[in-house]
Structures are given as structure tokens and as C-alpha cells.
Amino acid sequence: MFEMERTVYCSNIGEDGKIRNSALIDILQDCSNFHLESHPVMAPFFKAENCIMFLIYRQIDIERLPIYGEKLKINTWTYELKRMYGYRNTIIYGENGETLVRSIAAGAFMDNETQRPRKVPQELIDRVKVYPRTDMEYLPRKIKLPESEPQIFEPVNIMKCHIDMNRHVNNARYADIADEYLAENAEARRIRIEYKMPLKRSDTAIPKVYTKDNITAVELSDTDGRSYCIVEYTLK
């Protein structure tokens, strides 16, 4: 289990004084990465084998968005680990110990050079301590789009500001892109993201926005209709 602290500052918030969805994901991502980079079993393996974990799914259940100046405590741990993938919980607490955010993340082991899936030795997996998963609703990793006709928007050109050190769009930047298609002042109580195919520098993504009841889903696809990512918002 890993713990870190963070204070919400102006670089994290939107015009309403609350943390942006993408900044929330940045914090979850940072905590997970710090955990992996300091892990006594996995960190040496990642370094020696040039192996990384690609995020393939994230679910974020939001009780309350952190606000400007709020001091946060973030805990993360692995609750399931197999040779090709792993699952973790990450929890964000407010200053008084209130649970603000519960999160699930699923990642797949990848070769950093080829960026193809790989298996990790079972003896290594057996040495990793796993903890009980937190109490929350666990939805399927595959997101089903609403049965409605999507509204299709102008293509989004991927720029270098979207790209991270793995040479594709950072997982939080998908939220930056998808948030643009939410209704004004819309606030999510849950965000689910299914990462299907990495978006890379100079790619073009076609946004398709589906709405039904309190669900807004943004699918980013290539020009042939293949899906890069789905971001699903359950709105308050």
C-alpha cells in the first residue's frame, strides 16, 4: 500500500474553483506511478526488463470534487494481479478524513520498446502483496455505448501537449478532450474510461457524443470508425 499527500492549487482547478476532471486523474495517476516506481518487487523488474503498465480501464466514483486549497491524502494498493494485467484501488480523502473519490484502474503489462503485451513471471507475481478491494460498485471494463444516435463533431488534432513519455496521449488528456462535449455546468458523479487503442502525435480523432438519461458518453474514433477511447460520464 502506498500513500501520498497533495494540495489542490490553481493549476488543478476550473473556473468554478473545483478540481478539473483531468487534474483529478493526474493525481490518481501520480499516486499509482509513485507506488509502482517505489515497489520493492515490481520496480526492479520494470527497470531490468524495460516493461511498463498501460492503463486499459479506469472508473472514478466521485462523492465530492476537491476545491482550491484543499489538502488531500491519497492511498493506493493492488487488489488483483495476474501475469498479464493488474487491478488497483486508489482513494482520495479530504482534510477531515472524508472519502472524496474512489477509483478502480486496470493495467496491462507491456514491453516498452515494442509496446506489445507481455507476460510477467509467475514467481514474481507471487511475491507481490495484494490487499482487499475497497467497497464500491465494480462495473464491467467494457463500456456499452447508449442506444442513441451520436452527435458527431469536428475532428480533434492530437498535439504534442497531449503526449506523455510513453509516446501516446496521456490517460488524463482524454478527459481534457472529452470534457469539452459535456453540457455547461455538468458535473459527474462517476467517470469511466475504456482505453482501446493509443492515440499518438499527429493522429486525428473523431468525437462522437452519445446521450441518454443522465449518461453522456464520448467516443474518440479514427477516420475508419475504429475506437481509440470511450469516456462515459454519469451526471448528477
Side-chain angles (χ1 to χ4, degrees), residues 142-224:
K142 298 291 185 180
I143 297 175
K144 184 178 180 181
L145 291 168
E147 295 179 354
S148 60
E149 283 298 316
Q151 185 176 0
I152 301 175
F153 289 84
E154 291 295 317
V156 174
N157 296 318
I158 301 305
M159 300 179 290
K160 63 182 179 181
C161 62
H162 296 125
I163 305 300
D164 65 16
M165 64 183 182
N166 293 319
R167 304 185 297 279
H168 56 66
V169 172
N170 180 269
N171 71 88
R173 306 288 74 79
Y174 287 96
D176 279 327
I177 295 170
D179 278 2
E180 290 295 321
Y181 305 100
L182 287 176
E184 194 72 22
N185 300 319
E187 189 170 308
R189 64 175 178 85
R190 171 176 287 156
I191 303 172
R192 298 167 67 213
I193 310 177
E194 181 184 353
Y195 303 94
K196 295 187 172 187
M197 185 171 64
L199 265 168
K200 298 182 179 180
R201 177 81 180 276
S202 300
D203 279 345
T204 297
I206 310 298
K208 302 175 184 177
V209 180
Y210 300 77
T211 57
K212 185 176 181 181
D213 300 327
N214 64 333
I215 298 291
T216 296
V218 181
E219 182 181 32
L220 301 176
S221 303
D222 68 10
T223 53
D224 294 322

Coordinates of all heavy atoms in Angstrom, one line a residue, residues 142-224:
K142 N -15.6 -3.2 -20.1 CA -16.1 -2.8 -21.4 C -17.3 -1.9 -21.3 O -18.2 -2.2 -20.6 CB -16.5 -4.1 -22.2 CG -15.3 -5.0 -22.5 CD -14.3 -4.4 -23.5 CE -13.2 -5.5 -23.8 NZ -12.2 -4.9 -24.8
I143 N -17.2 -0.7 -21.9 CA -18.3 0.3 -21.8 C -19.2 0.1 -22.9 O -18.8 0.1 -24.1 CB -17.7 1.7 -21.7 CG1 -16.8 1.9 -20.5 CG2 -18.8 2.7 -21.8 CD1 -16.1 3.2 -20.4
K144 N -20.5 -0.1 -22.6 CA -21.5 -0.2 -23.7 C -22.1 1.2 -23.9 O -22.5 1.9 -23.1 CB -22.6 -1.1 -23.2 CG -23.7 -1.3 -24.2 CD -24.8 -2.3 -23.7 CE -25.8 -2.6 -24.8 NZ -26.9 -3.5 -24.3
L145 N -22.0 1.6 -25.2 CA -22.5 2.9 -25.6 C -24.0 3.0 -25.5 O -24.7 2.0 -25.8 CB -22.0 3.3 -27.0 CG -20.5 3.5 -27.1 CD1 -20.1 3.6 -28.6 CD2 -20.1 4.8 -26.5
P146 N -24.6 4.1 -25.2 CA -26.0 4.3 -25.2 C -26.6 4.0 -26.6 O -26.0 4.2 -27.6 CB -26.2 5.8 -24.8 CG -25.0 6.1 -24.1 CD -23.9 5.4 -24.7
E147 N -27.8 3.5 -26.5 CA -28.5 3.2 -27.8 C -29.2 4.4 -28.3 O -30.4 4.6 -28.3 CB -29.5 2.0 -27.6 CG -28.9 0.7 -27.2 CD -29.8 -0.4 -26.9 OE1 -31.1 -0.1 -27.0 OE2 -29.4 -1.5 -26.7
S148 N -28.4 5.3 -28.8 CA -28.9 6.5 -29.4 C -28.0 7.0 -30.5 O -26.8 6.5 -30.6 CB -29.0 7.7 -28.3 OG -27.7 7.9 -27.8
E149 N -28.5 7.8 -31.4 CA -27.7 8.3 -32.5 C -26.7 9.3 -31.9 O -27.1 10.3 -31.3 CB -28.5 8.9 -33.6 CG -29.2 7.9 -34.5 CD -28.2 7.0 -35.2 OE1 -27.2 7.6 -35.8 OE2 -28.5 5.8 -35.3
P150 N -25.4 9.2 -32.3 CA -24.4 10.1 -31.7 C -24.4 11.4 -32.5 O -24.8 11.5 -33.7 CB -23.1 9.4 -31.9 CG -23.3 8.5 -33.1 CD -24.7 8.1 -33.0
Q151 N -24.0 12.5 -31.8 CA -23.7 13.7 -32.5 C -22.2 13.7 -32.8 O -21.4 13.5 -31.9 CB -24.1 14.9 -31.5 CG -23.9 16.3 -32.2 CD -24.4 17.4 -31.3 OE1 -24.8 17.2 -30.2 NE2 -24.3 18.6 -31.8
I152 N -21.9 14.0 -34.0 CA -20.5 13.9 -34.5 C -20.0 15.3 -34.6 O -20.6 16.2 -35.2 CB -20.4 13.1 -35.8 CG1 -21.0 11.7 -35.6 CG2 -19.0 13.1 -36.3 CD1 -21.0 10.9 -36.9
F153 N -18.8 15.5 -34.0 CA -18.2 16.8 -34.0 C -17.0 16.9 -34.9 O -16.5 15.9 -35.5 CB -17.8 17.2 -32.6 CG -19.0 17.5 -31.7 CD1 -19.7 16.5 -31.1 CD2 -19.4 18.8 -31.5 CE1 -20.8 16.7 -30.2 CE2 -20.5 19.1 -30.7 CZ -21.2 18.0 -30.1
E154 N -16.4 18.1 -35.1 CA -15.2 18.3 -35.9 C -14.1 17.5 -35.3 O -13.9 17.3 -34.1 CB -14.9 19.8 -35.9 CG -15.9 20.7 -36.7 CD -15.9 20.3 -38.2 OE1 -14.8 20.1 -38.7 OE2 -17.0 20.2 -38.7
P155 N -13.2 17.0 -36.2 CA -12.1 16.2 -35.8 C -11.2 17.0 -34.8 O -11.0 18.2 -34.9 CB -11.3 15.9 -37.1 CG -12.3 16.0 -38.2 CD -13.3 17.1 -37.7
V156 N -10.6 16.2 -33.9 CA -9.6 16.8 -33.0 C -8.2 16.3 -33.4 O -7.9 15.1 -33.6 CB -9.9 16.2 -31.5 CG1 -8.8 16.7 -30.6 CG2 -11.2 16.7 -31.1
N157 N -7.3 17.3 -33.6 CA -5.9 17.0 -34.0 C -5.1 16.9 -32.7 O -5.1 17.8 -31.9 CB -5.4 18.1 -34.9 CG -6.1 18.2 -36.2 OD1 -6.4 17.2 -36.8 ND2 -6.4 19.5 -36.6
I158 N -4.4 15.7 -32.6 CA -3.6 15.5 -31.4 C -2.3 16.3 -31.5 O -1.6 16.2 -32.6 CB -3.3 14.0 -31.3 CG1 -4.6 13.2 -31.2 CG2 -2.4 13.7 -30.1 CD1 -5.5 13.7 -30.1
M159 N -2.0 17.0 -30.5 CA -0.8 17.8 -30.4 C 0.2 17.3 -29.4 O -0.1 16.4 -28.6 CB -1.2 19.3 -30.1 CG -2.2 19.9 -31.1 SD -2.7 21.5 -30.7 CE -3.7 21.2 -29.2
K160 N 1.4 17.9 -29.4 CA 2.5 17.4 -28.5 C 2.1 17.6 -27.1 O 2.6 16.9 -26.2 CB 3.8 18.1 -28.9 CG 3.9 19.6 -28.7 CD 5.3 20.0 -29.1 CE 5.4 21.6 -29.0 NZ 6.7 22.0 -29.5
C161 N 1.2 18.6 -26.8 CA 0.9 18.8 -25.4 C 0.0 17.7 -24.8 O -0.2 17.6 -23.6 CB 0.1 20.1 -25.2 SG -1.4 20.3 -26.1
H162 N -0.5 16.8 -25.7 CA -1.3 15.7 -25.2 C -0.5 14.4 -24.9 O -0.9 13.5 -24.3 CB -2.3 15.3 -26.3 CG -3.3 16.3 -26.6 ND1 -3.5 16.8 -27.9 CD2 -4.2 16.9 -25.8 CE1 -4.5 17.7 -27.9 NE2 -5.0 17.8 -26.7
I163 N 0.8 14.4 -25.4 CA 1.6 13.2 -25.4 C 2.5 13.1 -24.1 O 3.0 14.1 -23.6 CB 2.5 13.2 -26.6 CG1 1.7 13.4 -27.9 CG2 3.4 12.0 -26.7 CD1 0.7 12.3 -28.2
D164 N 2.6 11.9 -23.6 CA 3.4 11.7 -22.5 C 4.7 10.9 -22.8 O 5.0 10.7 -24.0 CB 2.7 11.0 -21.3 CG 2.2 9.6 -21.7 OD1 2.7 9.0 -22.6 OD2 1.3 9.1 -20.9
M165 N 5.5 10.4 -21.8 CA 6.8 9.8 -22.1 C 6.6 8.4 -22.7 O 7.6 7.9 -23.2 CB 7.6 9.7 -20.8 CG 6.9 8.8 -19.7 SD 7.9 8.8 -18.2 CE 7.0 7.7 -17.2
N166 N 5.4 7.9 -22.8 CA 5.2 6.6 -23.5 C 4.8 6.8 -24.9 O 4.4 5.9 -25.6 CB 4.1 5.8 -22.8 CG 4.5 5.3 -21.4 OD1 5.7 4.9 -21.2 ND2 3.7 5.4 -20.4
R167 N 4.9 8.1 -25.4 CA 4.8 8.4 -26.8 C 3.3 8.3 -27.3 O 3.1 8.1 -28.5 CB 5.8 7.6 -27.7 CG 7.2 7.8 -27.3 CD 8.2 7.1 -28.2 NE 8.0 5.7 -28.2 CZ 8.5 4.8 -27.4 NH1 9.2 5.3 -26.3 NH2 8.3 3.5 -27.5
H168 N 2.4 8.4 -26.4 CA 1.0 8.4 -26.8 C 0.2 9.4 -25.9 O 0.8 9.9 -25.0 CB 0.4 7.1 -26.9 CG 0.4 6.3 -25.6 ND1 -0.2 6.7 -24.5 CD2 1.1 5.2 -25.3 CE1 0.0 5.8 -23.5 NE2 0.8 4.9 -24.0
V169 N -1.1 9.6 -26.2 CA -1.8 10.5 -25.4 C -1.9 10.1 -24.0 O -2.3 8.9 -23.7 CB -3.3 10.7 -26.0 CG1 -4.1 11.5 -25.1 CG2 -3.2 11.4 -27.4
N170 N -1.6 10.9 -23.0 CA -1.7 10.6 -21.6 C -3.1 10.3 -21.2 O -4.0 11.0 -21.7 CB -1.1 11.8 -20.8 CG -1.1 11.5 -19.3 OD1 -2.1 11.8 -18.6 ND2 -0.1 10.8 -18.8
N171 N -3.3 9.4 -20.3 CA -4.7 9.0 -20.0 C -5.6 10.1 -19.5 O -6.8 10.2 -19.7 CB -4.7 7.8 -19.1 CG -4.3 8.1 -17.6 OD1 -5.1 8.5 -16.8 ND2 -3.0 7.9 -17.3
A172 N -5.0 11.1 -18.8 CA -5.7 12.2 -18.3 C -6.1 13.2 -19.4 O -7.2 13.9 -19.3 CB -5.0 13.0 -17.2
R173 N -5.4 13.2 -20.4 CA -5.7 14.2 -21.5 C -6.9 13.8 -22.3 O -7.6 14.6 -22.9 CB -4.5 14.3 -22.5 CG -3.1 14.7 -21.8 CD -3.1 16.1 -21.3 NE -3.9 16.4 -20.1 CZ -3.5 16.1 -18.9 NH1 -2.4 15.4 -18.7 NH2 -4.2 16.5 -17.9
Y174 N -7.3 12.5 -22.3 CA -8.5 12.1 -22.9 C -9.7 12.8 -22.2 O -10.7 13.1 -22.8 CB -8.7 10.6 -22.8 CG -7.8 9.8 -23.7 CD1 -6.6 9.2 -23.3 CD2 -8.2 9.5 -25.0 CE1 -5.8 8.5 -24.1 CE2 -7.4 8.8 -25.9 CZ -6.2 8.3 -25.4 OH -5.4 7.6 -26.3
A175 N -9.6 12.9 -20.9 CA -10.6 13.7 -20.1 C -10.7 15.1 -20.5 O -11.8 15.7 -20.7 CB -10.4 13.5 -18.6
D176 N -9.5 15.7 -20.7 CA -9.5 17.1 -21.2 C -10.3 17.3 -22.5 O -11.0 18.2 -22.7 CB -8.0 17.6 -21.4 CG -7.4 18.0 -20.2 OD1 -8.1 18.5 -19.3 OD2 -6.1 17.8 -20.0
I177 N -10.0 16.3 -23.4 CA -10.7 16.3 -24.7 C -12.2 16.1 -24.6 O -13.0 16.8 -25.1 CB -10.1 15.3 -25.7 CG1 -8.6 15.7 -26.0 CG2 -10.9 15.2 -27.0 CD1 -7.8 14.6 -26.7
A178 N -12.5 15.0 -23.8 CA -14.0 14.6 -23.7 C -14.8 15.6 -23.0 O -16.0 15.8 -23.2 CB -14.1 13.3 -23.1
D179 N -14.2 16.3 -22.0 CA -14.9 17.3 -21.2 C -15.5 18.4 -22.0 O -16.5 19.0 -21.6 CB -14.0 17.9 -20.1 CG -13.9 17.0 -18.9 OD1 -14.4 15.9 -18.8 OD2 -13.2 17.4 -17.9
E180 N -14.9 18.7 -23.1 CA -15.4 19.8 -24.0 C -16.8 19.5 -24.5 O -17.5 20.4 -24.9 CB -14.4 20.0 -25.2 CG -13.1 20.5 -24.8 CD -13.2 22.0 -24.3 OE1 -14.0 22.7 -24.8 OE2 -12.5 22.3 -23.3
Y181 N -17.2 18.3 -24.5 CA -18.5 17.9 -25.1 C -19.6 17.7 -24.0 O -20.7 17.3 -24.3 CB -18.4 16.7 -25.9 CG -17.3 16.9 -27.0 CD1 -16.0 16.3 -26.8 CD2 -17.5 17.7 -28.1 CE1 -15.0 16.6 -27.7 CE2 -16.5 17.9 -29.0 CZ -15.3 17.4 -28.8 OH -14.3 17.6 -29.7
L182 N -19.3 18.0 -22.7 CA -20.3 18.0 -21.7 C -21.1 19.3 -21.7 O -20.6 20.3 -22.2 CB -19.6 17.9 -20.3 CG -19.0 16.5 -20.0 CD1 -18.4 16.6 -18.6 CD2 -20.1 15.4 -19.9
A183 N -22.4 19.2 -21.3 CA -23.2 20.4 -21.2 C -22.6 21.3 -20.2 O -21.9 21.0 -19.3 CB -24.6 20.0 -20.8
E184 N -22.9 22.6 -20.4 CA -22.4 23.7 -19.5 C -22.8 23.4 -18.0 O -24.0 23.1 -17.8 CB -22.9 25.0 -19.9 CG -22.2 26.2 -19.3 CD -20.8 26.4 -19.8 OE1 -20.5 25.9 -20.9 OE2 -20.0 27.0 -19.1
N185 N -21.8 23.4 -17.1 CA -22.0 23.2 -15.7 C -22.4 21.8 -15.3 O -22.8 21.5 -14.2 CB -23.1 24.2 -15.2 CG -22.8 25.7 -15.3 OD1 -21.6 26.0 -15.1 ND2 -23.7 26.5 -15.7
A186 N -22.3 20.9 -16.3 CA -22.5 19.5 -15.9 C -21.4 19.0 -15.0 O -20.2 19.3 -15.1 CB -22.5 18.6 -17.2
E187 N -21.8 18.2 -14.0 CA -20.9 17.6 -13.1 C -21.1 16.1 -12.9 O -22.2 15.7 -12.8 CB -21.0 18.3 -11.7 CG -19.9 17.9 -10.7 CD -19.9 18.8 -9.5 OE1 -19.9 20.0 -9.6 OE2 -19.9 18.2 -8.4
A188 N -20.0 15.3 -13.0 CA -20.2 13.9 -13.0 C -20.1 13.3 -11.6 O -19.3 13.8 -10.8 CB -19.1 13.3 -13.9
R189 N -20.9 12.3 -11.3 CA -20.7 11.6 -10.1 C -19.9 10.3 -10.3 O -19.4 9.6 -9.4 CB -22.0 11.2 -9.4 CG -22.9 10.3 -10.2 CD -24.2 10.0 -9.5 NE -25.1 9.2 -10.2 CZ -25.0 7.8 -10.3 NH1 -24.1 7.2 -9.6 NH2 -25.9 7.1 -10.9
R190 N -19.8 9.9 -11.6 CA -18.9 8.8 -12.0 C -18.4 9.0 -13.4 O -19.0 9.6 -14.3 CB -19.8 7.5 -12.0 CG -19.0 6.3 -12.6 CD -19.9 5.0 -12.4 NE -19.9 4.6 -11.1 CZ -20.9 3.8 -10.6 NH1 -21.9 3.4 -11.3 NH2 -20.8 3.4 -9.3
I191 N -17.1 8.7 -13.5 CA -16.4 8.7 -14.8 C -15.8 7.3 -15.1 O -15.1 6.8 -14.2 CB -15.3 9.8 -14.9 CG1 -15.9 11.2 -14.6 CG2 -14.7 9.8 -16.3 CD1 -14.8 12.2 -14.4
R192 N -16.1 6.8 -16.2 CA -15.5 5.5 -16.7 C -14.8 5.8 -18.0 O -15.3 6.4 -18.9 CB -16.5 4.4 -16.8 CG -17.2 4.1 -15.6 CD -18.4 3.2 -15.9 NE -18.0 1.9 -16.3 CZ -18.7 1.1 -17.2 NH1 -19.8 1.6 -17.7 NH2 -18.3 -0.1 -17.6
I193 N -13.6 5.2 -18.1 CA -12.8 5.4 -19.3 C -12.3 4.0 -19.8 O -11.6 3.4 -19.0 CB -11.6 6.4 -19.2 CG1 -12.1 7.7 -18.5 CG2 -11.0 6.7 -20.5 CD1 -11.0 8.7 -18.2
E194 N -12.6 3.7 -21.0 CA -12.0 2.5 -21.6 C -11.0 2.9 -22.7 O -11.4 3.5 -23.7 CB -13.1 1.6 -22.2 CG -12.6 0.3 -22.8 CD -13.7 -0.5 -23.5 OE1 -14.9 -0.1 -23.5 OE2 -13.3 -1.5 -24.2
Y195 N -9.8 2.5 -22.4 CA -8.7 2.9 -23.4 C -8.5 1.7 -24.3 O -8.1 0.6 -23.9 CB -7.4 3.2 -22.6 CG -7.5 4.3 -21.6 CD1 -7.8 4.0 -20.3 CD2 -7.4 5.6 -22.0 CE1 -7.9 5.0 -19.3 CE2 -7.5 6.6 -21.0 CZ -7.7 6.3 -19.7 OH -7.9 7.3 -18.8
K196 N -8.8 1.9 -25.6 CA -8.8 0.8 -26.6 C -7.5 0.8 -27.5 O -6.9 -0.3 -27.7 CB -10.0 0.9 -27.4 CG -11.3 0.7 -26.7 CD -12.5 0.6 -27.6 CE -13.8 0.2 -26.9 NZ -14.9 0.0 -27.9
M197 N -7.2 1.9 -28.0 CA -6.1 2.0 -29.0 C -5.4 3.3 -28.8 O -6.1 4.4 -28.8 CB -6.7 1.9 -30.4 CG -5.7 1.8 -31.5 SD -6.5 1.5 -33.1 CE -7.6 2.9 -33.4
P198 N -4.1 3.3 -28.6 CA -3.4 4.6 -28.2 C -3.5 5.6 -29.3 O -3.3 5.3 -30.5 CB -2.0 4.2 -28.0 CG -2.0 2.7 -27.7 CD -3.2 2.2 -28.5
L199 N -3.8 6.8 -28.9 CA -3.7 8.0 -29.8 C -2.3 8.5 -29.8 O -1.8 8.7 -28.7 CB -4.7 9.1 -29.4 CG -6.1 9.1 -30.1 CD1 -7.0 10.1 -29.3 CD2 -6.0 9.6 -31.5
K200 N -1.8 8.9 -30.9 CA -0.4 9.3 -31.0 C -0.3 10.7 -31.7 O -1.3 11.2 -32.2 CB 0.5 8.3 -31.7 CG 0.5 6.9 -31.0 CD 1.4 5.9 -31.7 CE 1.4 4.6 -31.0 NZ 2.3 3.6 -31.6
R201 N 0.9 11.2 -31.6 CA 1.1 12.6 -32.1 C 0.7 12.7 -33.6 O 1.0 11.8 -34.4 CB 2.6 12.9 -32.0 CG 3.1 14.2 -32.5 CD 2.8 15.4 -31.6 NE 3.2 16.6 -32.2 CZ 4.4 17.1 -32.1 NH1 5.4 16.5 -31.5 NH2 4.7 18.3 -32.7
S202 N 0.0 13.7 -33.9 CA -0.4 14.0 -35.3 C -1.6 13.1 -35.7 O -2.1 13.2 -36.9 CB 0.7 13.9 -36.3 OG 1.7 14.8 -36.0
D203 N -2.1 12.2 -34.9 CA -3.3 11.5 -35.2 C -4.5 12.4 -35.2 O -4.5 13.5 -34.6 CB -3.6 10.4 -34.2 CG -2.8 9.1 -34.4 OD1 -2.2 9.0 -35.5 OD2 -2.7 8.3 -33.5
T204 N -5.6 12.0 -35.8 CA -6.9 12.8 -35.8 C -7.9 11.9 -35.1 O -8.1 10.7 -35.5 CB -7.3 13.2 -37.2 OG1 -6.3 14.0 -37.7 CG2 -8.6 13.9 -37.2
A205 N -8.7 12.4 -34.2 CA -9.8 11.7 -33.5 C -11.1 12.4 -33.9 O -11.2 13.6 -33.8 CB -9.5 11.7 -32.0
I206 N -12.1 11.5 -34.2 CA -13.4 12.0 -34.5 C -14.3 11.8 -33.2 O -14.5 10.7 -32.7 CB -14.1 11.2 -35.6 CG1 -13.1 11.1 -36.8 CG2 -15.4 11.8 -36.0 CD1 -12.8 12.4 -37.4
P207 N -14.8 12.9 -32.6 CA -15.6 12.8 -31.4 C -17.1 12.4 -31.8 O -17.7 13.1 -32.6 CB -15.5 14.2 -30.8 CG -14.4 14.9 -31.5 CD -14.4 14.3 -32.9
K208 N -17.6 11.4 -31.1 CA -19.0 11.0 -31.3 C -19.6 11.0 -29.9 O -19.1 10.3 -29.0 CB -19.1 9.6 -31.9 CG -18.5 9.5 -33.2 CD -18.5 8.0 -33.7 CE -17.8 7.8 -35.0 NZ -17.8 6.4 -35.5
V209 N -20.6 11.8 -29.7 CA -21.2 12.0 -28.4 C -22.6 11.4 -28.3 O -23.5 11.8 -29.1 CB -21.2 13.5 -28.0 CG1 -21.8 13.8 -26.6 CG2 -19.8 14.2 -28.1
Y210 N -22.7 10.5 -27.4 CA -24.0 9.8 -27.1 C -24.6 10.3 -25.8 O -23.9 10.4 -24.8 CB -23.8 8.3 -27.0 CG -23.2 7.6 -28.2 CD1 -21.8 7.7 -28.5 CD2 -24.0 6.9 -29.1 CE1 -21.2 7.1 -29.6 CE2 -23.4 6.2 -30.2 CZ -22.0 6.4 -30.4 OH -21.5 5.7 -31.5
T211 N -25.9 10.5 -25.8 CA -26.6 10.9 -24.6 C -27.8 10.1 -24.4 O -28.6 9.9 -25.3 CB -26.9 12.4 -24.6 OG1 -27.7 12.7 -25.7 CG2 -25.7 13.3 -24.6
K212 N -28.1 9.7 -23.1 CA -29.3 9.0 -22.8 C -29.5 9.2 -21.3 O -28.6 8.8 -20.5 CB -29.3 7.6 -23.2 CG -30.6 6.9 -22.9 CD -30.6 5.4 -23.4 CE -31.9 4.7 -23.2 NZ -31.9 3.3 -23.7
D213 N -30.7 9.7 -20.9 CA -31.0 10.0 -19.5 C -29.8 10.8 -18.9 O -29.5 11.9 -19.4 CB -31.2 8.6 -18.8 CG -32.3 7.8 -19.4 OD1 -33.3 8.5 -19.8 OD2 -32.3 6.6 -19.4
N214 N -29.2 10.3 -17.8 CA -28.1 11.1 -17.2 C -26.7 10.6 -17.6 O -25.7 10.9 -16.9 CB -28.2 10.9 -15.6 CG -28.0 9.5 -15.2 OD1 -28.3 8.5 -15.9 ND2 -27.5 9.4 -13.9
I215 N -26.6 9.9 -18.7 CA -25.4 9.4 -19.3 C -24.9 10.2 -20.5 O -25.7 10.5 -21.4 CB -25.5 7.9 -19.7 CG1 -25.8 7.0 -18.5 CG2 -24.1 7.5 -20.3 CD1 -24.7 6.9 -17.4
T216 N -23.7 10.7 -20.5 CA -23.1 11.2 -21.7 C -21.8 10.4 -21.9 O -21.0 10.3 -21.0 CB -22.7 12.7 -21.5 OG1 -23.9 13.5 -21.3 CG2 -22.0 13.2 -22.7
A217 N -21.7 9.9 -23.1 CA -20.5 9.1 -23.5 C -19.9 9.7 -24.7 O -20.5 10.0 -25.7 CB -20.9 7.6 -23.8
V218 N -18.6 9.9 -24.6 CA -17.8 10.5 -25.7 C -16.8 9.4 -26.2 O -16.0 8.9 -25.5 CB -17.0 11.7 -25.2 CG1 -16.2 12.3 -26.4 CG2 -17.9 12.7 -24.6
E219 N -17.1 9.0 -27.5 CA -16.2 8.1 -28.2 C -15.3 8.8 -29.1 O -15.7 9.6 -29.9 CB -17.0 7.0 -28.9 CG -16.1 6.0 -29.6 CD -16.9 4.9 -30.4 OE1 -17.9 5.3 -30.9 OE2 -16.4 3.8 -30.5
L220 N -14.0 8.5 -29.0 CA -13.0 9.1 -29.9 C -12.6 8.0 -30.9 O -12.1 6.9 -30.4 CB -11.8 9.7 -29.2 CG -12.1 10.8 -28.2 CD1 -10.8 11.2 -27.4 CD2 -12.7 12.0 -28.9
S221 N -12.8 8.2 -32.2 CA -12.5 7.2 -33.2 C -11.6 7.7 -34.3 O -11.5 8.9 -34.5 CB -13.8 6.7 -33.8 OG -14.7 6.2 -32.9
D222 N -11.0 6.8 -35.0 CA -10.2 7.2 -36.2 C -11.2 7.4 -37.4 O -12.4 7.1 -37.3 CB -9.1 6.2 -36.5 CG -9.5 4.8 -37.0 OD1 -10.7 4.6 -37.3 OD2 -8.7 3.9 -37.1
T223 N -10.6 7.7 -38.5 CA -11.5 8.0 -39.7 C -12.1 6.8 -40.3 O -13.1 6.9 -41.1 CB -10.7 8.7 -40.8 OG1 -9.5 7.9 -41.1 CG2 -10.2 10.1 -40.3
D224 N -11.7 5.6 -39.9 CA -12.3 4.3 -40.3 C -13.3 3.8 -39.3 O -13.8 2.7 -39.5 CB -11.2 3.3 -40.6 CG -10.3 3.6 -41.7 OD1 -10.8 4.2 -42.7 OD2 -9.1 3.4 -41.6

